[in-house]
Every structure is written in structure tokens, then in C-alpha cells.
Amino acid sequence: MYINADKVTMLHVEPTSKCNASCPGCPRNNYGFGVNTNLILQDLDPDIIIAEANKLTNLKVIHLCGNVGDAIAYKYLNKAVDKVVAQNEFFRIIKENKHWTLSMATNGSLRSTKWWQELGKKCNLNLFKSHRIQFGIDGLEDTNHIYRQATNFNKIIDNAKAFIDAGGDARWKFIIFKHNEHQVLDARTLANKMGFKLFETVVTNR
């Protein structure tokens, strides 16, 4: 099967195989207990991402989201963000009607609030203010860690608040399980209060 590169508008990139969480349903670990011994921990050179993106003439979104890694655990994330921002500035200078939106998915419990604040400022400075972060938060303080093992709800909320308050576009993705289904409304209320741009739910049979 061949794909016409001119028709590609979103590039899905798995930039790293590293993650701090131990979610039972993730193939990176043994049902939540220990990292899969066949997994190679590595980070993608950001120059490769930009080079491949430049091959796609109608590209609109670069989505950093892993099957086995978390975008915020990406070793070169700061460099990758800077390169996308610089590329957008280049498009503006040459008056090309083109812009890349950077989209990232994360459990949100890594890095400091200062780092998240700086990321929010950087995302808010881009031409169309369209860069966004999707936080995977499956419940509240007493339930999120049941599936998102090894994450800290309060740290996630602090990080998200720092990002949002600095102008960042944050979205909350809530996977519904039996143990958290009673908290969807409360989580949605919290998301709205904090300034998340979107709250979405995903239904699972677990």
C-alpha cells in the first residue's frame, strides 16, 4: 500500500520509548509490573522529525504520542519544540502559507512546574497559538493512579495548571473504568475550572 505524501496532514511520531508510568495495558511493561525486557530505551534525533516533516508539503500537525513512551519523557523535547517554532518562523519569513501545530500526549507527572510554565509560554508565542498538550488523567486523586501506576495526581494538576496559566492549550483525556466512572462529572468540572480547552472521555471494557 502506497500513501500519497501530498495528502498527509498529520505526522504521528513516537519520539521516545521512555516513560515513568506502569500502566497495566501498555505493551512497554509486564502488565504493570516491570519493563518489558525486549524494549530498547531510546530517543529519536529531533533533526529526523523535522527532516521527515519537511517532506510532507501539506503537513499541519506533528503529533508526539507513543505506544510505549511518553512525549514528556523525550530527552530532546525542548530541542524539538524549538525546532518546530523556528520552522514556523521560517515559513512566516518566506511568506509561505504554512504552519505546523505541535501536539503532544502525556500522563503529565514528569518535569517541574517551572518547565511546564516555560513550555506554556513557548507554545503561546507561536504564530497561531495552536500547539497543544493532551493530559491522560483517568480519575481524581484517589483513582488516577490505579491505572496510571507510578504517577502522582497532585503533581499532574500542578504541572497542568502551570502550563495553562502560562497560556498553554491543555486537553484532558479521561479513560473510563469501573473504578473511576463515578468521577467523570467531577473531573469535567475541575477541567473547566482550571481552564482546560477540552475534556474528552474514552470508554473501555475493563
Side-chain angles (χ1 to χ4, degrees):
M1 178 178 178
Y2 294 93
I3 299 175
N4 185 339
D6 290 338
K7 294 183 177 181
V8 176
T9 58
M10 184 182 80
L11 178 63
H12 185 131
V13 180
E14 179 150 1
T16 183
S17 57
K18 298 172 183 175
C19 183
N20 63 306
S22 299
C23 305
C26 181
R28 82 180 312 275
N29 58 62
N30 300 310
Y31 303 101
F33 300 97
V35 178
N36 189 323
T37 55
N38 295 318
L39 181 68
I40 300 173
L41 299 179
Q42 56 189 342
D43 296 278
L44 184 64
D45 184 336
D47 287 333
I48 294 176
I49 299 175
I50 300 302
E52 293 304 310
N54 271 315
K55 295 177 183 178
L56 305 171
T57 57
N58 291 308
L59 183 67
K60 299 184 185 308
V61 179
I62 298 176
H63 185 49
L64 304 183
C65 178
N67 291 312
V68 295
D70 188 291
I72 306 302
Y74 179 33
K75 180 179 179 180
Y76 305 114
L77 181 57
N78 289 341
K79 186 181 292 186
V81 172
D82 289 342
K83 284 181 177 294
V84 170
V85 170
Q87 189 70 28
N88 284 338
E89 178 63 13
F90 173 71
F91 291 146
R92 186 188 69 81
I93 291 172
I94 64 174
K95 299 187 182 332
E96 185 172 343
N97 186 24
K98 186 174 181 180
H99 176 266
W100 292 343
T101 290
L102 190 59
S103 169
M104 292 177 264
T106 178
N107 64 58
S109 62
L110 283 175
R111 305 196 186 243
S112 67
T113 52
K114 182 178 179 181
W115 183 89
W116 279 99
Q117 184 181 53
E118 289 303 313
L119 180 63
K121 291 178 181 177
K122 195 173 293 185
C123 288
N124 196 39
L125 284 172
N126 89 93
L127 192 57
F128 298 111
K129 301 182 180 179
S130 57
H131 302 318
R132 55 186 179 263
I133 301 286
Q134 181 189 78
F135 288 80
I137 313 174
D138 308 324
L140 299 176
E141 183 177 3
D142 60 331
T143 58
N144 180 64
H145 64 280
I146 294 175
Y147 181 71
R148 302 273 177 177
Q149 295 185 140
T151 66
N152 183 297
F153 178 80
N154 290 322
K155 180 169 176 54
I156 296 167
I157 294 301
D158 287 345
N159 287 343
K161 185 177 187 306
F163 179 71
I164 293 169
D165 288 351
D169 180 338
R171 286 98 188 283
W172 184 322
K173 181 178 180 180
F174 186 119
I175 301 177
I176 299 177
F177 298 95
K178 290 186 182 300
H179 63 261
N180 66 12
E181 60 185 4
H182 62 291
Q183 295 180 326
V184 173
L185 181 58
D186 287 341
R188 186 187 300 274
T189 299
L190 177 60
N192 290 336
K193 181 179 178 181
M194 290 181 61
F196 278 86
K197 293 289 182 66
L198 177 71
F199 180 90
E200 62 176 323
T201 58
V202 177
V203 178
T204 176
N205 57 7
R206 292 189 177 89

